[in-house]
Every structure is written in C-alpha cells, then in structure tokens.
Amino acid sequence: MAESVEHTFLSETALNIMEESSNAKLFACKESGRKRFDFSCDITRDWTRAVSGQTLWKHDRDGIDKDLRTLLTDGEASAVVYVARDSVATRGRMDEIIRDYRNSPLRASLSKLRIFWVPADFDADDEHAREVVRHGLRHDMYQDLLLRVALGGITSQDVRNFATSGRLGYPAWILTQISKDGFLDNYTKASKRYRMGIPALKEEVLRLQLTGMVSREENEHGLIQVTEKGHAMLDICAHLYRYLSGENEESEEFLYICKLLGMEFPLFEPDGQRADFRFYETKSEMLPFGRLANNAQLMLTCLYYSSQHGEMEWRPPRFKLPGSQ
C-alpha cells in the first residue's frame, strides 16, 4: 500500500526535528540507514544512542500491533518513537496491546516507547495545518525525547534546584571542578582545592546529588562523579556563560531548549533587551532571587558569581558525529 501524504510528511518531519536539534550543539544527530523503520537516527554525546520510529496514519488493528512489536524488539535503540494519528479507536488498541506487553518478555522495552499524537483531522495539503503539527511535534519531541534521552533527563526543576543555592555561584563551580578532577573522593583534600569549608562543600555536593548531577553509583569504587545529567548541565552552563558574556550568539534550537527548562533570557525587559552580564550589573536590583525568581534569573545569578571563586574552565561539549574518527 502506498504511503499517504500525511504519513510521509510526519515521518520526514520527525526526522528533521531531531536533525535540526543538533544545532543546539549539545549533541550530534545523524540519520541512520536502517530500512526497517519509517525513520531512524543516532544521537551522540559520549556514546551513540539510536532512536527508531514508526508512523501510524491509516493502519488497521493488526498494523498497530506489528508496528509496536517492530519497535519494541529493536534491541539497538535507546528510545523508540511512534508518531500516531489520534483517535479513540487507536488509543484503545494501543492501550490493549501495551497491557498485553506488560505481561510478556517485552515489558522491559516499554520504558523506551514514546508516543506522539497528531490530530486526526490533519491534512498535509494544508500549509497552516503542517505548521501547527510541526510545532506540536517539535515541542513534544524536545521535551520528552531529547531532554530525557539525549540530555540525561534534565528538567526545569533540576535547573531551579541547581541554581538556588544561597552560596551564589558555587553549584556551577563545584560541578565544574568535580568534572575536571574526574571524581571527588576526599572532602578534606577537595575543600583545600576548592577553597571552601568542609561543611559547606558537603552541603553543596548533597544538593548536586539530590538533583542527580553527581552520584556515587557511576563507578564500583563509590567515588562521587558527574553523571550524564550533570555533564548536560555543564554543557548548558558553558553555552549560557558565553552567551551572557556577549561572546557569541546562540542558535534558535539551544534557546528553545533553555525555554523548555524555564529559561527565557530575552524576556527580562518589556522592549526585549537582551539579558547579559552587563545587564545584570546595571539592573541587578530588578532581579529577585529565591522563591520569586524564575529559572533564567537564577541561572544568570549563578553563572555571574561562578567565576568569583576561581578561574572557570568551560569545556566544549564532548561528542562527535556518528561514524567519525
């Protein structure tokens, strides 16, 4: 059966959204050549994570079952995506199949499944409808796929918890130093290197542990190391520091990820004046801190003070394109 215009549009759009997201420079994304799926790609940070996807537009009950089984039996994928036409019948059939899989050997694979719904009356020949659907898919895929799979599951609340320390700038400073050292094994030695008291250091490391940015479970020796989420936070901080320092402009995709994490820096002023460290120095009395502040204000404050504790080394994100040397 020939693919419908809607089916083709949705498959191509899902892949394009993931490829364009790499403009944020937080990871690399490249289409993979597997023909088993409607679309597939590799998302790379420190290692490659495969994403496979199927598109549902006109399938019958058996077609839905086949699609889900194809996705869930893909042992190479870190995440599997189903872009599906929304209807009561389709939701009912999917719920039925998923319930069956919960009692089968495939139950462990269900955690990899992401379903993105498309309005049933979508017409791919309508330009406005294409834009509405693309915008909705972009938001859902960034929020539920890229942040959770490619960036270690970082959330807006994680950003807020990270930046609300009363010791201004210390969360970014300490996370950077642990990443640079490779691990933290001795608070006495670390307190001397970081030039802060042991009680304060322990409290800040506990804050990072509670946000999931450092952990003792990353290795068999029980050392505190930066997690995947913590490395993602450092990469975001590095981009933001350069952006707020006026060193470079950032891509629309990166600023969109910041927006999903509760950070909309261009919106501090009614006239849209760009917020940067110069803005902070002249308008700092306008920026509340703590419960009343938004994530953008908290991060601006955190990064502004981070370099006050010593030289900061903001390393570029560590990734390479799939297949490159």
Side-chain angles (χ1 to χ4, degrees), residues 58 70 223 235 281:
K58 292 184 177 181
T70 299
L223 304 175
D235 290 346
E281 291 165 355

Side-chain angles (χ1 to χ4, degrees), residues 26-27 43-47 150-151 231-232 235 318-320:
L26 294 172
F27 44 79
I43 297 176
T44 302
R45 276 179 61 81
D46 291 338
W47 58 85
L151 296 179
H231 283 301
D235 290 346
R318 298 177 303 282
F319 63 78
K320 60 182 180 180

Side-chain angles (χ1 to χ4, degrees), residues 294-324:
N294 61 41
N295 284 9
Q297 294 162 346
L298 290 171
M299 281 297 291
L300 190 152
T301 303
C302 179
L303 294 176
Y304 177 75
Y305 280 97
S306 64
S307 61
Q308 306 302 309
H309 309 301
E311 184 178 353
M312 293 289 288
E313 183 179 353
W314 296 112
R315 299 180 179 181
R318 298 177 303 282
F319 63 78
K320 60 182 180 180
L321 285 171
S324 66

